[in-house]
Amino acid sequence: MFGIIAGHLFTTTFATLGATAGGDSTAAKTESLTEREARMKWWREARFGMFVHWGLYSGLSGNWNGKIVGTNGGMEWLQNRVGTDTYTYASNALPLFRPKPGFATEWARLAKEAGCRYVVFTTKHHDGFALHDSKVSDYDAGSTLHRDLVKEIVDALHTEGLRVGFYHSMIDWHHDQYDYTRAKGLPYPGGNKSVMSGPRDQSKYNDYLHAEVNELMSNYGPVDVVWWDYSSKEFQGDDAWRASDLIKLVRAKQPNVVMNNRLFRTAEAGWVGNDMATLPKLDPQYGDFTTPEQHIPATGMPGIDWETCMTMNSTWGFNEHDHAWKSDATFIRNLVDIASKGGNYLLNIGPKGDGSVPEESVKSLRAIGAWMKVNGESIYGTTANPFGKLDWGSCTKRLTDTGGKLYFHITIPPLDGKLVVTGLKNRISGARLLGGGKVEVASSGQSTTLVLPTGIPIATNSVVAVNFEGMLDITKSGT
Ligand code: GLC
């Protein structure tokens, strides 16, 4: 049997309330499997979230000194791509980063309309600029814009009933103690070396990093997700970031938080090397979920929680020269593919310097939302495909004590209007096309034929919901 959440046989040790920013004076508590399942429940059911990359790079829009930096790839890396120091970068970027009033409400409404259940946004990216009003940094929105952008965003998300996630960069191209000389495998803009010479002390950077995270965990109400980014094989975990203390600090302040695995870069934490490959394993002491980036694992990752993050064109941060927009159908198919493999989809927007969302993203997110309005029940709270490969599409399922539902997702509409499913042994008590239309069911032996309604267009990504009785019983030999 696969597709049912299995294998969470571990317990996680974390701190109880009362921890200090330094992570000391914490009483360790072991989380039971039941507690862990309860903590992960909303996240597993959500299936669809919005990622937001937004910071100083956004206003530069892929340009530097009047030249195009590139037409593809991560433009949130602009400082590194042009190889400039933090002062030159900031003096060019700051005047162009001018968030308009109410930008966060636009994001929150768009996320809601798209059917996202949570939004993870960059509180600080690799350039080191913090979006909150920080007491431990003056390279932040508080000092430069006299605004607390994190508060504005969190408030807007809460108004729309969305869960809140903070993406936070470990890498820091601004802080004068971030020790890039030790951080092998983690890129660093060449120009900085000449601007801020002298020895660096990573423990001082870590004091700052922990204090900054402490502010974020203390001042904005419940934080549902912390999305760390990132480590290399050579520089990771406790040695690089005092990661275990950081986790303790976060869990003490936000006991229900769900965290990714990017404070670490070892096989136990689900990594192969420094590329984007991920292993289908994760010891929960290193994080709650693993993070395949820009790809969907071929067979999912049974037994662990995972979330694929993806861009809508080819960059995370805004680049006006990137026109590689994917189609609405691709986004919907990816969402279905991911849900049918038991994962979450974190789909990125890169707002502009004024906070407005590129119109291509708005259009596509609305199209996803229109599809979710009709078909959302086949995504939210469902689990992975219990069949083998289905030639015409894929499947998600919802199990109850007395039976359940199978949702058949049509990727290639059949020319004769019939979907054939092999191996399903349960009695079927009804079937319908989501959005309307009765589906006739003809069973013979282990072959079930679903006859789609005529007169209704059966489009790519149409969904047939099938009610079955009893414990799901499938013969695995064929499809
Ligand atoms: C990478 C990139 C980063 C992006 C992230 C999203 O690690 O460094 O720019 O924020 O992936 O997954």
Side-chain angles (χ1 to χ4, degrees):
M1 173 163 31
F2 65 98
I4 296 175
I5 296 157
H8 298 283
L9 300 172
F10 343 81
T11 51
T12 315
T13 301
F14 60 83
T16 51
L17 279 166
T20 63
D24 42 15
S25 78
T26 53
K29 171 183 174 287
T30 301
E31 184 182 44
S32 71
L33 180 58
T34 322
E35 285 165 338
R36 179 174 158 80
E37 297 292 297
R39 184 168 58 79
M40 294 302 293
K41 187 169 186 286
W42 77 265
W43 187 90
R44 289 176 182 157
E45 290 178 356
R47 286 285 175 254
F48 185 32
M50 178 187 274
F51 211 0
V52 186
H53 278 70
W54 188 60
L56 291 190
Y57 42 84
S58 307
L60 292 167
S61 315
N63 303 302
W64 187 251
N65 284 339
K67 294 210 179 73
I68 299 176
V69 177
T71 55
N72 66 1
M75 209 40 83
E76 70 289 350
W77 280 57
L78 192 145
Q79 186 189 343
N80 187 63
R81 285 175 77 155
V82 301
T84 194
D85 67 87
T86 187
Y87 300 114
T88 312
Y89 171 75
S91 63
N92 280 274
L94 261 168
L96 301 171
F97 186 59
R98 286 286 170 266
K100 62 180 179 181
F103 75 92
T105 302
E106 280 178 26
W107 298 4
R109 289 193 181 145
L110 183 60
K112 188 73 185 286
E113 198 181 336
C116 298
R117 291 274 163 96
Y118 60 110
V119 174
V120 179
F121 66 96
T122 46
T123 46
K124 181 187 89 170
H125 206 270
H126 307 336
D127 65 9
F129 184 80
L131 293 194
H132 68 299
D133 182 4
S134 175
K135 295 220 169 16
V136 296
S137 171
D138 54 11
Y139 197 50
D140 68 327
S143 312
T144 55
L145 301 171
H146 311 292
R147 283 166 77 173
D148 189 327
L149 299 171
V150 169
K151 182 167 181 348
E152 290 182 35
I153 298 166
V154 169
D155 288 350
L157 298 179
H158 281 156
T159 303
E160 294 302 321
L162 292 157
R163 298 265 186 174
V164 171
F166 290 173
Y167 164 110
H168 204 72
S169 176
M170 305 291 99
I171 298 172
D172 195 310
W173 297 333
H174 174 80
H175 199 277
D176 61 2
Q177 296 300 319
Y178 172 81
D179 194 354
Y180 63 86
T181 64
R182 286 185 56 210
K184 303 272 179 283
L186 299 176
Y188 194 80
N192 268 22
K193 289 173 197 164
S194 55
V195 173
M196 292 188 289
S197 53
R200 291 181 170 226
D201 181 349
Q202 181 72 4
S203 76
K204 288 195 180 130
Y205 169 67
N206 279 329
D207 291 344
Y208 159 75
L209 173 68
H210 288 219
E212 182 182 53
V213 169
N214 187 48
E215 291 178 336
L216 290 166
M217 294 303 117
S218 309
N219 301 337
Y220 302 91
V223 178
D224 302 294
V225 175
V226 175
W227 217 99
W228 310 109
D229 200 30
Y230 67 82
S231 304
S232 64
K233 247 172 41 187
E234 299 83 4
F235 200 59
Q236 59 92 38
D238 289 337
D239 177 43
W241 326 113
R242 300 205 302 254
S244 307
D245 280 353
L246 200 51
I247 289 180
K248 264 190 215 157
L249 155 70
V250 171
R251 292 218 189 279
K253 294 275 160 106
Q254 302 283 345
N256 296 318
V257 78
V258 174
M259 275 187 252
N260 79 357
N261 61 343
R262 291 195 179 188
L263 286 176
F264 303 90
R265 199 87 182 194
T266 57
E268 296 71 36
W271 299 101
V272 182
N274 281 341
D275 60 12
M276 289 182 199
T278 42
L279 291 167
K281 65 177 187 182
L282 175 61
D283 180 331
Q285 67 173 296
Y286 303 114
D288 297 306
F289 65 95
T290 191
T291 50
E293 184 173 317
Q294 301 284 35
H295 70 276
I296 302 173
T299 52
M301 299 203 194
I304 62 167
D305 293 292
W306 58 277
E307 177 194 68
T308 282
C309 53
M310 274 195 189
T311 49
M312 298 184 88
N313 47 2
S314 81
T315 179
W316 303 96
F318 182 63
N319 178 6
E320 64 180 347
H321 309 293
D322 186 332
H323 305 297
W325 297 98
K326 294 159 203 162
S327 70
D328 301 349
T330 301
F331 295 127
I332 296 168
R333 211 173 312 128
N334 285 344
L335 175 58
V336 168
D337 190 20
I338 290 167
S340 77
K341 290 170 178 168
N344 280 12
Y345 190 29
L346 190 66
L347 184 58
N348 181 72
I349 59 167
K352 303 177 187 180
D354 66 354
S356 62
V357 180
E359 65 187 66
E360 292 86 347
S361 297
V362 173
K363 184 190 86 35
S364 290
L365 286 161
R366 291 203 170 127
I368 300 169
W371 184 88
M372 285 292 261
K373 263 212 170 72
V374 174
N375 300 292
E377 69 159 280
S378 70
I379 302 290
Y380 301 124
T382 61
T383 49
N385 175 19
F387 298 92
K389 193 174 166 344
L390 299 164
D391 292 336
W392 38 262
S394 56
C395 179
T396 52
K397 68 181 184 309
R398 185 188 306 282
L399 305 180
T400 68
D401 291 344
T402 54
K405 279 186 183 180
L406 293 165
Y407 297 100
F408 292 108
H409 295 262
I410 305 172
T411 309
I412 306 167
L415 292 174
D416 62 357
K418 291 177 184 159
L419 295 182
V420 179
V421 179
T422 310
L424 179 61
K425 297 208 243 168
N426 298 70
R427 205 187 95 78
I428 293 172
S429 56
R432 72 196 159 92
L433 192 70
L434 294 187
K438 193 164 162 29
V439 172
E440 299 295 337
V441 183
S443 298
S444 121
Q446 295 207 357
S447 169
T448 308
T449 305
L450 305 169
V451 185
L452 304 174
T454 50
I456 295 176
I458 307 296
T460 297
N461 298 321
S462 292
V463 182
V464 175
V466 171
N467 288 50
F468 65 88
E469 294 174 359
M471 283 259 290
L472 186 59
D473 191 3
I474 293 169
T475 307
K476 267 294 157 55
S477 51
T479 54

